[in-house]
Amino acid sequence: MTSEAASDAGRRQHYADLYDPTPHDGPTGVLLGNCQAESLRQALSGSDVRLLRVPPVHELEASDLPHLERLLAGVDVVVAQPIRDDYRGMPLGTRQLLDAARVGARSAIVPVIRFAGLHPWQAIVRPPHDPSAAPPIVPYHDLRTLAEAAGADASAPASPAALREVGQASLDQLRWREERFGTVPISDVLARPTFEHMRTINHPGNPVWHALAARVHEALRLGGAPAPLPRPLLDRVHAPRAARVIDALGLDAEPREHWIVDGEAVDDGDVRAAHLAWYREHPDVVVAGTERHAEAMAVLGL
């Protein structure tokens, strides 16, 4: 068996609920979105609905569509993040997915959770040359490093007020997305955040998943009860914890200058150097990042 065939076989086994489902006597459901959808699926374990495991939408291929259509036609519950129509050229938009679900299926929309209050310099940038490309070591951009790559002076420290302003703007954006898409809300949980709430700008910790699972469970009128998570979710990458952020927010936490990646400490200076080298090879990312995050960079004095 070739490595490609083995990989495909492993994928089909991992997502057997999509490709080779086993009969189930009780109600079933599916959660659709990015990696956060799988975390919510795990957090909802303990409900009376068997939640089926499917790939994140950015990994679905055209060959998966017949399997997904069959699955949606039979489930009792559909939970989805907001996804635009014809995402990646396929009918994977939230509206399209809900339209494909069984008549009478209960549904809920949950937000894509991004919050910069604890990591105000952290950003996500979609490179024009390849929207899936990410810098080395950690897939997050630091606005200070982007500013340096653009030739700006990034040495002046941001004021406590500026750090709080970036966090509030991020929270306001999350609330706006909740209202626009009619999602189950979670922004209020992040109004008084700790580092247990967000490991990075887009990787919530278990307190967020417990809260969102309870709200989805109630919104869908599910039976049973969400069970406590047995392990930390989205735990692979932890961002540094800046002393200035801790002071600005009045947090009870110890600063940490390094990253944690797969359980190992990674020096932030090494990340910065690797990213600067990567930006030299991909100057379009610097342009895209500084344009996309110009408002936050201005607030932070970059």
Side-chain angles (χ1 to χ4, degrees):
M1 180 182 293
T2 66
S3 59
E4 183 177 350
S7 176
D8 183 65
R11 184 176 187 270
R12 293 182 70 89
Q13 181 178 11
H14 186 71
Y15 296 115
D17 287 337
L18 177 67
Y19 299 112
D20 188 24
T22 57
H24 181 68
D25 292 335
T28 58
V30 64
L31 284 83
L32 297 156
N34 61 17
C35 60
Q36 294 182 2
E38 170 59 18
S39 295
L40 180 58
R41 185 188 75 85
Q42 295 183 44
L44 280 165
S45 175
S47 73
D48 64 340
V49 175
R50 180 189 173 197
L51 296 166
L52 308 175
R53 180 189 291 165
V54 298
V57 292
H58 57 271
E59 292 183 7
L60 288 170
E61 302 296 340
S63 59
D64 296 325
L65 294 181
H67 301 284
L68 182 62
E69 291 169 358
R70 171 190 46 75
L71 183 150
L72 286 168
V75 296
D76 304 278
V77 168
V78 179
V79 180
Q81 292 177 324
I83 307 166
R84 67 178 181 273
D85 277 3
D86 299 319
Y87 174 68
R88 296 173 54 238
M90 294 178 283
L92 297 175
T94 304
R95 179 188 60 81
Q96 294 165 311
L97 294 169
L98 295 181
D99 286 348
R102 181 182 65 80
V103 174
R106 290 170 284 174
S107 65
I109 301 175
V110 294
V112 175
I113 304 172
R114 288 187 184 175
F115 175 65
L118 296 165
H119 311 290
W121 295 280
Q122 195 172 100
I124 295 172
V125 179
R126 304 299 181 194
H129 71 275
D130 178 2
S132 66
I137 306 179
V138 295
Y140 299 99
H141 300 260
D142 190 303
L143 297 180
R144 295 165 295 189
T145 309
L146 270 173
E148 182 178 351
D153 182 3
S155 61
S159 68
L163 298 176
R164 290 191 292 268
E165 183 177 344
V166 169
Q168 185 60 51
S170 177
L171 190 64
D172 291 344
Q173 289 172 4
L174 177 56
R175 286 173 175 155
W176 178 82
R177 293 194 299 271
E178 290 172 341
E179 293 172 1
R180 178 187 178 188
F181 297 110
T183 74
V184 175
I186 196 62
S187 56
D188 58 298
V189 174
L190 296 171
R192 296 179 62 85
T194 71
F195 287 107
E196 296 303 315
H197 285 84
M198 297 296 295
R199 312 187 194 287
T200 65
I201 193 173
N202 66 341
H203 279 186
N206 286 20
V208 174
W209 296 123
H210 285 140
L212 185 58
R215 295 177 181 190
V216 171
H217 187 273
E218 181 179 2
L220 291 173
R221 304 181 305 280
L222 303 180
L229 289 163
R231 62 180 180 83
L233 300 183
L234 296 178
D235 195 41
R236 179 176 174 266
V237 178
H238 292 246
R241 300 176 175 183
R244 276 179 286 166
V245 172
I246 291 171
D247 292 341
L249 300 183
L251 301 177
D252 182 14
E254 290 295 323
R256 187 183 66 227
E257 296 183 358
H258 60 269
W259 293 78
I260 297 176
V261 180
D262 293 327
E264 299 292 332
V266 176
D267 186 85
D268 189 48
D270 293 340
V271 173
R272 174 179 162 275
H275 285 200
L276 285 172
W278 192 74
Y279 291 145
R280 287 192 289 270
E281 296 176 0
H282 304 287
D284 62 319
V285 179
V286 179
V287 175
T290 53
E291 290 180 352
R292 170 68 177 83
H293 299 286
E295 186 174 346
M297 294 178 75
V299 171
L300 294 168
L302 299 172

